[in-house]
Amino acid sequence: MFSASVTNDTAFHPSTFILLGIPGMQDQHMWAAIPFCSMYILALVGNGTILSIIMTDRTLHEPMYLFLCLLSITDLILCSTTLPKMLTIFWLKSHIISYHGCLTQMFFVHTVFATESAILLAMAFDRYVAICRPLHYTSILNATVIGKIGLACVVRGLLFVFPFVILIKRLPFCGHHIIPHTYCEHMGIAKLACASIKPNTIYGLTVALAVTGMDVVLIAASYGLILRAVLCLPSKDAQFRAFSTCGAHICVILVFYVPAFFSFFTHRFGQQVPPHVHIVLANLYLLVPPVLNPLVYGINTKQIRLRILGFFMGRR
């Protein structure tokens, strides 16, 4: 159907790839785009609001809010790397993406995901220090340390994801150029190759388990220590508020990691998983967290909630 649109393919690298969208649901693309577009708008508005409030109010230039600022920036980039192209596929039937454009999208998707995972770990550490080591909070986490942590999160993502580009560029594709997905990701591209992709599989699993998996373990350990400290609080009301806040954080973290790991492992071991289920979940882990994070980490925070209410009351 699309092959006539693709020209100048070489035996080694195609000049373009074709993104099919959601396999088996092409007839529903027009309607499927509506909830995705709605969530994208919510993510833009929510994270944009959080960024605007924190950047313009100097009283919020504290560690927790600076980490929230970093999270909002990564959320905006994360959903914007895939959603605009996906919407053009669904509404404009613009399925073609250049070879280098596909690799660029793949690089940003995985880099920003790894960066956000590191930021979630940093935020868990921030909450641990605030609750379990309150007297040392300002000395441990000052603006300089937070800047270094943010830089380390980005550099870590770049270092671990850049080999994905090298591993893809070494592969011949023998004219294969149709990707049954809405965006370009490492294993989705590698599976089109007509050569062994064992190095891609091994390195991808190593990054997923050793890097992202370690983030999950450390986040779980941080919240475990936090919950242990909360149980020692004398006030039942304080315990309830702390449990509610931690519970909301843990739910958002699960929404971020569970679909991501499902997608990672489905590429390698999930031959029985229906393609449309895999693709929908692969989109959700890039879109749902950017929608929920401003609600859970931002509006759920008293200082930000008061400033949002003050903004709307001031407009009356």
Side-chain angles (χ1 to χ4, degrees):
M1 177 171 57
F2 301 106
S3 58
S5 302
V6 181
T7 59
N8 299 323
D9 279 4
T10 65
F12 202 81
H13 291 154
S15 60
T16 58
F17 285 112
I18 293 171
L19 294 168
L20 284 185
I22 303 176
M25 294 181 61
Q26 284 89 340
D27 293 340
Q28 289 80 45
H29 276 176
M30 182 71 70
W31 302 109
I34 295 174
F36 282 116
C37 183
S38 300
M39 286 190 287
Y40 183 46
I41 292 171
L42 288 174
L44 293 178
V45 172
N47 288 286
T49 301
I50 297 297
L51 278 174
S52 176
I53 290 172
I54 294 174
M55 292 176 69
T56 56
D57 192 336
R58 295 189 63 85
T59 62
L60 296 180
H61 291 185
E62 298 176 4
M64 182 176 72
Y65 302 108
L66 293 177
F67 280 126
L68 182 56
C69 208
L70 291 175
L71 183 66
S72 290
I73 292 171
T74 55
D75 276 339
L76 287 172
I77 299 172
L78 186 66
C79 59
S80 295
T81 55
T82 59
L83 260 294
K85 178 60 182 175
M86 182 171 70
L87 293 176
T88 64
I89 293 171
F90 287 177
W91 279 334
L92 304 179
K93 301 193 183 303
S94 176
H95 295 265
I96 296 174
I97 185 170
S98 70
Y99 173 78
H100 290 102
C102 192
L103 262 60
T104 301
Q105 187 185 55
M106 176 200 76
F107 177 77
F108 275 100
V109 166
H110 293 300
T111 299
V112 179
F113 176 84
T115 301
E116 178 151 340
S117 178
I119 291 172
L120 288 173
L121 173 59
M123 293 178 74
F125 176 71
D126 168 73
R127 291 298 84 208
Y128 163 75
V129 175
I131 294 173
C132 301
R133 298 288 187 273
L135 297 179
H136 302 93
Y137 184 63
T138 54
S139 60
I140 294 174
L141 290 170
N142 53 52
T144 302
V145 172
I146 293 170
K148 291 179 180 178
I149 291 174
L151 180 61
C153 292
V154 175
V155 170
R156 189 194 75 157
L158 293 171
L159 289 177
F160 281 107
V161 173
F162 187 72
F164 285 159
V165 178
I166 298 172
L167 288 169
I168 291 294
K169 289 183 76 69
R170 73 178 183 87
L171 294 173
F173 290 89
C174 305
H176 302 154
H177 55 260
I178 298 177
I179 302 175
H181 211 309
T182 56
Y183 61 88
C184 298
E185 61 175 351
H186 173 234
M187 286 306 297
I189 302 171
K191 282 184 172 181
L192 300 181
C194 52
S196 172
I197 61 170
K198 190 173 182 180
N200 300 70
T201 303
I202 292 172
Y203 184 73
L205 280 173
T206 301
V207 171
L209 296 175
V211 180
T212 312
M214 184 57 65
D215 289 347
V216 174
V217 171
L218 293 174
I219 289 171
S222 295
Y223 277 103
L225 293 171
I226 290 169
L227 291 175
R228 188 178 69 175
V230 167
L231 289 173
C232 297
L233 294 174
S235 169
K236 294 294 183 183
D237 184 55
Q239 285 185 1
F240 176 77
R241 289 199 307 270
F243 275 124
S244 297
T245 301
C246 288
H249 290 188
I250 292 169
C251 287
V252 171
I253 289 168
L254 289 174
V255 169
F256 181 70
Y257 284 111
V258 171
F261 279 111
F262 178 85
S263 179
F264 295 158
F265 292 121
T266 297
H267 269 305
R268 294 151 180 96
F269 312 113
Q271 288 78 14
Q272 304 304 316
V273 177
H276 67 277
V277 173
H278 175 204
I279 303 308
V280 169
L281 286 175
N283 280 284
L284 290 182
Y285 83 81
L286 299 180
L287 185 57
V288 174
V291 173
L292 294 180
N293 286 340
L295 299 174
V296 173
Y297 291 105
I299 297 174
N300 199 34
T301 304
K302 182 179 178 181
Q303 288 84 344
I304 292 179
R305 185 169 64 248
L306 289 175
R307 281 155 180 80
I308 293 174
L309 290 173
F311 172 78
F312 285 108
M313 293 294 290
R315 290 176 65 91
R316 289 188 174 183

